[in-house]
Amino acid sequence: MSVIAISTNKGGVLKTSLTVNLAGVLARQGKRVLIVDTDNQGNCALSFGLNPDQLKTTIYDVLISGTPFLPDAIRIVHDNIDLIGANDDMCFFEFDVLGNPRAFKQPFQLMRARLGPVRKKYDFVLIDTPPTLGLTQANVLTFADRVIVPFQPERYSMRSLIKIVDGIRDFREKHNSALDILAVVPTLIDSRTVLHSEVLQECRRFCQVQNILVTDTVIPRTVRFAASVAYDQKPLTISDPKSAAAKIYEQLLKELIG
């Protein structure tokens, strides 16, 4: 069983799309997958046609109130895919935990403690994260085994990439020695753009020195993924798995886990 976080300190780089579409490929291969959404936007629920504002029990309840809330928080969203969703309640997670140190003596360990009872039931746990390096991210990185870092090659992207790589490695040394960076995945790629090509080459040079895999498979800039969620209320790898865009995620998964 593997716990994989999709994490970076930058928003709008397809973290949710990576999470739910990789889950779709794994599910079609017969793997049992749990998606855990820790971002208050609740986009993982939206990807499966659920309104996050109508979720009565979420990851917030599990982290704050404990394992009794876990069964109610897990929703079956597709064959072989379960979801623990998130909504705006996660906006208050850090305030509630850090504001009550007597109740939360090990604030980084909440996710590991709460989700420990279910992790053995799944082949993969995929965690979608907010674009911050705060307490939520600390809980994710304490629980995770590996991290996928999405990388959109824009003008200032290298600065963000260097910071997130340094942040993950520093966290590993201090809090989770088992944590590793699985890969950097280029996203929202427009191969016709000179800037994208140049920044992507810079990314590959940096990661080679750091001994980090940058996948040959890149996720292109396309409306197909968003359209699948909007019209089919499913990730593209589930709604149209034979499409060329969905096949990209099959290739990506082969690079990531063989």
Side-chain angles (χ1 to χ4, degrees):
M1 202 282 296
S2 185
V3 179
I4 302 175
I6 292 79
S7 175
T8 186
N9 55 351
K10 190 173 185 295
V13 293
L14 299 189
K15 288 193 299 294
T16 301
S17 185
L18 280 166
T19 304
V20 299
N21 279 290
L22 285 173
V25 178
L26 288 166
R28 288 193 295 104
Q29 294 178 354
K31 306 296 184 182
R32 290 275 295 141
V33 182
L34 173 65
I35 297 173
V36 181
D37 193 355
T38 62
D39 191 342
N40 69 283
Q41 294 183 75
N43 286 333
C44 287
L46 290 170
S47 298
F48 290 92
L50 301 175
N51 183 343
D53 296 328
Q54 294 177 356
L55 298 178
K56 293 182 179 180
T57 310
T58 67
I59 188 62
Y60 170 86
D61 301 291
V62 175
L63 295 176
I64 292 293
S65 302
T67 53
F69 286 81
L70 192 53
D72 293 333
I74 298 175
R75 311 242 343 203
I76 299 171
V77 291
H78 190 70
D79 292 343
N80 291 329
I81 302 177
D82 291 349
L83 167 70
I84 300 178
N87 57 26
D88 285 340
D89 288 347
M90 278 303 288
C91 293
F92 305 100
F93 174 64
E94 295 198 17
F95 293 133
D96 292 342
V97 172
L98 298 180
N100 193 353
R102 289 185 179 181
F104 302 102
K105 296 179 180 180
Q106 293 183 302
F108 285 13
Q109 299 289 333
L110 295 174
M111 182 170 288
R112 175 178 284 180
R114 308 304 199 234
L115 297 188
V118 299
R119 64 179 292 170
K120 292 183 180 180
K121 297 180 180 180
Y122 298 93
D123 299 300
F124 289 89
V125 177
L126 302 181
I127 309 176
D128 191 12
T129 64
T132 63
L133 295 178
L135 181 60
T136 300
Q137 195 77 246
N139 269 270
V140 171
L141 296 182
T142 300
F143 182 53
D145 307 312
R146 294 182 285 179
V147 182
I148 294 172
V149 180
F151 176 77
Q152 180 186 10
E154 299 292 351
R155 188 172 301 277
Y156 301 110
S157 296
M158 280 305 302
R159 184 169 179 268
S160 294
L161 178 63
I162 292 169
K163 285 193 172 187
I164 191 65
V165 168
D166 288 345
I168 292 170
R169 287 180 165 172
D170 183 60
F171 193 91
R172 177 178 61 191
E173 291 180 7
K174 295 178 179 178
H175 303 287
N176 183 3
S177 60
L179 186 66
D180 198 13
I181 298 175
L182 177 57
V184 172
V185 177
T187 62
L188 295 168
I189 301 299
D190 185 346
S191 58
R192 301 166 299 177
T193 304
V194 173
L195 176 63
H196 277 205
S197 299
E198 291 177 348
V199 176
L200 189 51
Q201 288 176 9
E202 186 179 0
C203 168
R204 294 188 185 280
R205 287 193 296 267
F206 167 76
C207 289
Q208 184 176 21
V209 172
Q210 300 294 321
N211 197 29
I212 297 171
L213 170 68
V214 181
T215 59
D216 292 327
T217 305
V218 303
I219 309 301
R221 185 187 298 274
T222 173
V223 300
R224 291 286 288 121
F225 302 116
S228 178
V229 169
Y231 297 111
D232 299 320
Q233 298 186 329
K234 296 287 182 183
L236 187 64
T237 53
I238 294 175
S239 66
D240 191 7
K242 295 184 179 180
S243 66
K247 292 288 186 182
I248 292 171
Y249 275 96
E250 290 186 12
Q251 298 169 10
L252 177 62
L253 188 64
K254 288 179 181 179
E255 279 199 75
L256 293 175
I257 63 173

